[in-house]
Amino acid sequence: MSQTLFDKIWERHVVVPEKDDHPAVIYIDLHLIHEVTSPQAFTALKENNLTVRCPQKTLGTADHSIPTNPTRQFADQQAADQVSRLLENCREHGIRCLDLNDPAQGIVHVVGPELGYTQPGMTIVCGDSHTSTHGAFGALAFGIGTSEVTGVLATQCLLQRKPKTLSITLEGTLAPLVTAKDVALHVIAKLGAGGGAGFVIEFRGEVVRGFSMESRMTLCNMSIEAGARAGMVAPDDVTFAYLRSKLGEDWQPQSWQRETSDPKARFDREVFLDVSELTPVITYGTSPDQSLPIHANIPSDAASRCLDYMGFESGGSLTGIKVDVVFVGSCTNGRIEDLRLAAKILEGKKVAAHTRMLIVPGSGAVKRAAEAEGLDRVFMEAGAEWREPGCSMCIAMNGDQLQPGQLAVSTSNRNFEGRQGPGGRTMLASPATAAACAVAGAVADPRFLEVTA
Amino acid sequence: MKPIRMFQGMAAALMRSDVDTDQIIPARFLKVTTKDGLGRHLFSDWRYHADGSPDPEFVLNKNPEATALVVGDNFGCGSSREHAPWALLDYGIRVLIGSGFADIFRSNALRNGLVAINLAIEERDRLAALCPDEISVNVFDQYVRFGDGKSTTFQLEPFARHCLLHGMNSLDFLISHSKAIDFYEEVHS
């Protein structure tokens, strides 16, 4: 019988099949952990006299509450203690952990792929909803809660009902400066913030085939913003070339790592989108599905609550709205290609005087690559802050945050109320759009920067 | 987890759609290493003004006795933080009645004994209109009854229902399959 890629990965990982009265027991190949969602899981292990079953299939990294300022001074003792706890727990259980002194340290969803841990055909979990990022490699990857983290630490397994499958085929040719982020925001607007609930998405079509691994990661990363369990892209030569660049030219995929959806595979739902006409997209509300082409006016039927929070008026235009802060970074858009794109827009220009711009690389490796290419100089000459790797202002746990009322254009993944600091307002966009907004000091289309700047 | 068969309490309605876990418990309160005391920060940015004074218009301030919430679509979307159900439970919320919860949130809630009940939209909306109201929930027979005396049936995922009724931890279930896990590892090593 024809199967989807998801079906094949699922089937390969069933330890105990699903029955009416209990979910399936699924084997987990890679468990990523970070400081925020793991401490209570380690405590539960201890309380239950359990140990970590497969430390070698577990990787820890400090990312959420760590400082990204050059001095690496923690914002508060609580954050420092949380990171210390992660390091202690990993040390005690023999788990590799990337601390602040480790050159590989970075955001969990950036370092997993960079270090070659993330591979096709795997099941990957983390106590973090953006684990969907790893689906870009043809892995089944999703976020779990802390109780489940305890279960995976103890048994390397997870209880799951089999999700449904959703195929999203992206056709056409993207216009210049229209990126995977714009596609992701467009898809989320089409599906709605809960439209993907219960589904694993497989992104297919010529647009996805033409994407780099980093663009595929951006796309899969945002699957959760449509409520999907996971997002994935079938592995191909682009995937294998990326892995060889990380693991050495001798690396070869196993036969099960070459699997893709069968041509006649049936999905529970199928969506086709032609993205040839897509322009840069930006959010206007407080849910990631509230986005528009950057030149559109805010719809007259927009939810009044979100407009009240954002201080926008229905019918008003987005371009020209004054921007206080621009943030380039996060597990969505904190990789080298994102920084190159931002640098391309910023080169020879200045960040507007009233606008603060932070550029936070997703990992130590991204930071070094950017510096080797001279991107850091472009950023600093433009007047942007060049920071140390971490989640930073995406989640605003580390002191990098908006002041009440400030408006940010951000390459991160969530525009929820107060996400980037209490009272702060967020508009989500691509690195190209974010950089254009920094130069203009206002919402601006990267394709017409000369006009607006 | 304590077994839960029956629940009686006061329900209030929080009918915004897409209430994300950053609203339920903002990220700045996640720098903790225990589950304790998170109820203080539940819905912090909606419950309190910027100066720390309570917002009298917020549903939990209007209905401080509420132990159940009727909620809007896609409640619990966003981050996977289990701190969200921990905060709700620590505050005293035991039951959520919605129409489509976010996947990870629902799973986190049920695992902690927070009964997340899914109803058809019309039925959820009918109950929301009755709030604030005394309600009773029967987890064994799977029905909820508001003050109007009408019973509405619901379906919990059978394993989650079993865990709720018996106060069972899903960790024990996983561990009971250790032999199957050993076998799987042998075959796939």
Side-chain angles (χ1 to χ4, degrees):
Chain A
M1 207 183 92
S2 292
Q3 286 185 306
T4 66
L5 171 60
F6 162 75
D7 293 328
K8 293 177 189 183
I9 298 177
W10 178 270
E11 198 173 280
R12 191 182 154 78
H13 289 85
V14 171
V15 177
V16 178
E18 179 170 345
K19 294 212 172 111
D20 284 348
D21 63 353
H22 66 76
V25 176
I26 294 295
Y27 196 80
I28 300 303
D29 296 319
L30 175 63
H31 186 196
L32 303 164
I33 57 174
H34 63 65
E35 72 273 29
V36 179
T37 56
S38 69
Q40 297 87 350
F42 282 103
T43 303
L45 270 193
K46 203 163 279 178
E47 286 169 357
N48 288 282
N49 268 326
L50 294 166
T51 185
V52 177
R53 184 179 175 99
C54 302
Q56 75 286 3
K57 292 179 183 174
T58 314
L59 173 69
T61 187
D63 55 7
H64 280 63
S65 54
I66 57 157
T68 63
N69 54 58
T71 63
R72 289 279 195 175
Q73 283 293 316
F74 277 92
D76 55 61
Q77 192 55 40
Q78 213 183 8
D81 290 346
Q82 196 177 47
V83 171
S84 303
R85 180 64 72 86
L86 174 74
L87 300 179
E88 282 163 29
N89 285 330
C90 287
R91 201 177 307 125
E92 186 182 336
H93 293 280
I95 295 166
R96 181 181 179 192
C97 187
L98 312 175
D99 66 18
L100 290 189
N101 301 315
D102 195 310
Q105 178 268 334
I107 305 174
V108 62
H109 309 308
V110 177
V111 300
E114 264 175 9
L115 297 173
Y117 278 80
T118 301
Q119 292 193 14
M122 280 184 156
T123 47
I124 302 174
V125 295
C126 176
D128 192 288
S129 60
H130 291 108
T131 309
S132 57
T133 312
H134 307 263
F137 290 78
L140 174 61
F142 50 87
I144 57 176
T146 295
S147 298
E148 292 173 307
V149 171
T150 312
V152 179
L153 287 172
T155 67
Q156 204 59 29
C157 286
L158 192 67
L159 281 170
Q160 282 284 299
R161 292 275 176 198
K162 192 176 180 182
K164 293 176 286 185
T165 51
L166 165 58
S167 161
I168 298 183
T169 304
L170 300 167
E171 288 162 339
T173 310
L174 283 180
L177 295 178
V178 179
T179 69
K181 180 61 165 292
D182 301 292
V183 174
L185 289 171
H186 178 63
V187 167
I188 295 160
K190 290 280 176 201
L191 291 180
F199 289 95
V200 168
I201 301 174
E202 182 177 340
F203 293 103
R204 310 201 290 168
E206 57 186 321
V207 174
V208 181
R209 289 292 132 224
F211 272 166
S212 67
M213 284 315 297
E214 298 199 358
S215 289
R216 293 178 189 184
M217 284 189 250
T218 300
L219 183 61
C220 289
N221 171 279
M222 297 286 285
S223 307
I224 181 70
E225 309 314 332
R229 201 75 191 88
M232 63 204 307
V233 173
D236 59 11
D237 288 342
V238 176
T239 321
F240 303 141
Y242 178 97
L243 282 160
R244 284 192 196 101
S245 77
K246 305 296 178 193
L247 293 166
E249 286 307 310
D250 296 339
W251 184 84
Q252 286 294 335
Q254 307 281 317
S255 59
W256 54 271
Q257 294 185 301
R258 293 182 175 277
E259 292 286 1
T260 58
S261 289
D262 296 327
K264 287 185 177 167
R266 295 271 306 253
F267 290 81
D268 294 300
R269 189 181 164 201
E270 297 200 40
V271 172
F272 294 84
L273 292 171
D274 190 313
V275 292
S276 298
E277 303 295 314
L278 196 65
T279 62
V281 176
I282 193 163
T283 63
Y284 63 88
T286 56
S287 173
D289 61 350
Q290 293 165 332
S291 70
L292 289 168
I294 196 159
H295 284 286
N297 290 340
I298 297 171
S300 54
D301 60 351
S304 61
R305 184 178 163 85
C306 85
L307 295 189
D308 286 349
Y309 185 84
M310 294 300 288
F312 297 162
E313 279 173 27
S314 67
S317 76
L318 295 166
T319 50
I321 292 172
K322 185 172 160 260
V323 173
D324 301 305
V325 176
V326 171
F327 172 66
V328 174
S330 85
C331 59
T332 311
N333 281 129
R335 297 183 181 80
I336 190 68
E337 290 174 13
D338 301 314
L339 301 190
R340 283 183 195 138
L341 185 55
K344 188 172 137 186
I345 303 285
L346 286 174
E347 184 134 41
K349 301 193 182 69
K350 293 282 181 202
V351 173
H354 67 269
T355 304
R356 177 187 181 202
M357 185 181 200
L358 281 89
I359 300 178
V360 184
S363 71
V366 171
K367 181 163 193 269
R368 287 187 298 279
E371 289 174 351
E373 294 177 23
L375 305 184
D376 57 325
R377 285 197 303 279
V378 174
F379 298 144
M380 289 189 283
E381 279 164 19
E385 297 172 37
W386 176 236
R387 309 293 289 255
E388 297 298 318
C391 297
S392 181
M393 202 183 271
C394 173
I395 190 161
M397 285 183 70
N398 72 336
D400 300 340
Q401 65 181 74
L402 299 178
Q403 297 308 306
Q406 278 191 323
L407 180 77
V409 172
S410 176
T411 68
S412 55
N413 38 58
R414 289 183 172 140
N415 52 351
F416 299 153
E417 291 180 23
R419 168 79 177 187
Q420 298 190 289
R425 300 174 294 152
T426 300
M427 300 175 82
L428 302 174
S430 76
T433 302
C437 295
V439 172
V443 174
D445 186 331
R447 298 170 305 164
F448 310 122
L449 186 56
E450 300 303 336
V451 182
T452 50
Chain B
M1 193 165 101
K2 283 189 195 141
I4 172 164
R5 250 182 120 77
M6 291 282 295
F7 163 87
Q8 282 193 309
M10 180 63 87
L14 174 58
M15 291 302 288
R16 292 174 196 170
S17 294
D18 304 318
V19 171
D20 59 79
T21 53
D22 273 85
Q23 307 315 315
I24 300 172
I25 177 92
R28 62 185 182 277
F29 303 117
L30 305 188
K31 286 181 270 187
V32 293
T33 53
T34 69
K35 307 174 184 180
D36 309 329
L38 291 170
R40 254 184 309 153
H41 308 301
L42 178 70
F43 290 116
S44 187
D45 293 342
W46 289 352
R47 223 164 115 197
Y48 306 109
H49 294 301
D51 65 5
S53 63
D55 177 351
E57 290 306 308
F58 184 63
V59 58
L60 292 180
N61 295 330
K62 272 187 179 166
N63 304 279
E65 71 286 14
T67 49
L69 284 175
V70 182
V71 296
D73 296 352
N74 200 30
F75 186 87
C77 60
S79 152
S80 62
R81 61 189 70 165
E82 200 162 317
H83 308 68
W86 294 338
L88 284 157
L89 285 162
D90 186 59
Y91 174 89
I93 303 295
R94 296 283 174 270
V95 170
L96 296 173
I97 297 170
S99 191
F101 293 91
D103 286 341
I104 308 175
F105 175 81
R106 188 189 55 233
S107 147
N108 285 340
L110 291 167
R111 249 171 244 281
N112 285 278
L114 175 60
V115 187
I117 296 169
N118 243 329
L119 298 179
I121 291 176
E122 311 77 58
E123 196 54 23
R124 188 265 325 258
D125 289 351
R126 187 182 74 81
L127 298 181
L130 299 172
C131 286
D133 198 6
E134 286 283 347
I135 70 161
S136 59
V137 174
N138 186 318
V139 176
F140 186 82
D141 291 322
Q142 303 191 92
Y143 67 82
V144 53
R145 188 176 291 154
F146 274 57
D148 65 357
K150 279 191 208 161
S151 292
T152 303
T153 56
F154 59 84
Q155 286 267 304
L156 286 169
E157 192 279 313
F159 183 74
R161 174 174 169 267
H162 180 82
C163 289
L164 289 171
L165 288 173
H166 299 279
M168 196 179 106
N169 186 333
S170 55
L171 182 61
D172 299 333
F173 181 82
L174 279 174
I175 290 168
S176 74
H177 287 286
S178 291
K179 283 222 166 69
I181 303 169
D182 291 343
F183 181 70
Y184 179 93
E185 284 183 340
E186 246 179 75
V187 172
H188 289 83
S189 63

